[in-house]
Amino acid sequence: MNAIAREIADTDELHGIDWVEVSAIFSIDADGDVNASYGYAYDTRGEAHAVAFLYDPVERAVKAYSDWLQQESRTSIVKMLFQFNRNTRRIHADFEHDDPLRWQVTPGNLDARIEELRPRLGSSDDR
């Protein structure tokens, strides 16, 4: 998981955002490859910025972690929620094994989803 956090933090996607926390959702196909990515970077003011991490180094790190999990648990993953706090270095991941629509963002749920996906992995002083 540290490799995923490192690769996300190193992408150009976060340049220009004074971010504290990131939530990234990765869709994973039957071969374990990332085929979609979306999420939010939450800045020091608590505002959300839409981001996507379709970068080879991020995708390779997600695939390596997904492959390892699949070997350990013998279950496939269709989506992964990855959350990271830059200040506390805390990481959280959640996985979906069946529902490819989990965490889907639509015009009708946009504001609620942005708040649902907010990591909250730091203290109130982080924002």
Side-chain angles (χ1 to χ4, degrees):
M1 289 192 353
N2 288 331
I4 299 170
R6 184 176 38 260
E7 296 300 345
I8 285 174
D10 286 346
T11 66
D12 290 339
E13 193 71 18
L14 298 173
H15 282 61
I17 302 172
D18 189 16
W19 65 278
V20 175
E21 293 185 304
V22 169
S23 282
I25 293 92
F26 298 100
S27 294
I28 300 169
D29 67 18
D31 294 327
D33 295 320
V34 174
N35 60 18
S37 168
Y38 58 93
Y40 300 93
Y42 300 87
D43 68 21
T44 56
R45 295 184 319 269
E47 293 183 32
H49 303 262
V51 292
F53 298 103
L54 291 174
Y55 296 87
D56 288 341
V58 175
E59 291 177 11
R60 282 192 297 270
V62 170
K63 180 173 177 36
Y65 188 63
S66 173
D67 288 349
W68 177 80
L69 284 174
Q70 188 169 355
Q71 287 176 347
E72 293 296 311
S73 66
R74 301 193 191 279
T75 60
S76 61
I77 298 168
V78 295
K79 282 212 171 166
M80 178 173 87
L81 168 63
F82 185 86
Q83 298 174 313
F84 174 66
N85 182 296
R86 180 186 209 174
N87 296 335
T88 65
R89 303 287 193 228
R90 289 185 190 150
I91 296 171
H92 173 78
D94 195 2
F95 308 95
E96 178 57 44
H97 302 280
D98 301 309
D99 182 5
L101 299 179
R102 185 172 180 195
W103 302 304
Q104 183 175 3
V105 177
T106 66
N109 72 10
L110 177 64
D111 293 336
R113 192 69 78 206
I114 288 171
E115 285 309 308
E116 174 191 347
L117 295 173
R118 187 180 297 275
R120 293 177 176 79
L121 296 172
S123 71
S124 60
D125 296 335
D126 291 339
R127 290 197 190 117

